[in-house]
Amino acid sequence: MEFAYDGGGLAKGGDVTLYYDGEQVGQGRVDATQPFIFSADETTDVGYDAGTPVSPEAPTGRFTGTINWVQLDLGADTHDHLVDPEHAMSVAMSLQ
């Protein structure tokens, strides 16, 4: 999967491209992303979503096929999604 973040601040969206064996098999749009912290019970699952489903239509249960490998590649980061020092206090206060 490739996520091309729109950038320019927190919680922006981006374009998603899904690959299978190196070939593009799907694409779509994520309108917004999680702006701050995920809850402690959310996890990075493969083949099963043990936390909050991505959507109400998402299938439940475990994937019964075979997952041979998962690869995560981090691309270049401009850090334009980070909170600048001037806004750090307002972010800290909002988490109270």
Side-chain angles (χ1 to χ4, degrees), residues 20-40:
Y20 178 78
D21 283 342
E23 298 294 322
Q24 181 179 331
V25 293
Q27 62 185 23
R29 174 92 185 141
V30 173
D31 291 326
T33 55
Q34 176 69 24
F36 292 107
I37 301 169
F38 287 99
S39 66

Side-chain angles (χ1 to χ4, degrees), residues 46-63:
V46 175
Y48 174 70
D49 189 355
T52 307
V54 235
S55 76
E57 297 83 27
T60 58
R62 297 186 182 275
F63 174 69

Side-chain angles (χ1 to χ4, degrees), residues 58-72:
T60 58
R62 297 186 182 275
F63 174 69
T64 58
T66 300
I67 299 171
N68 293 317
W69 55 270
V70 174
Q71 179 175 332
L72 302 175

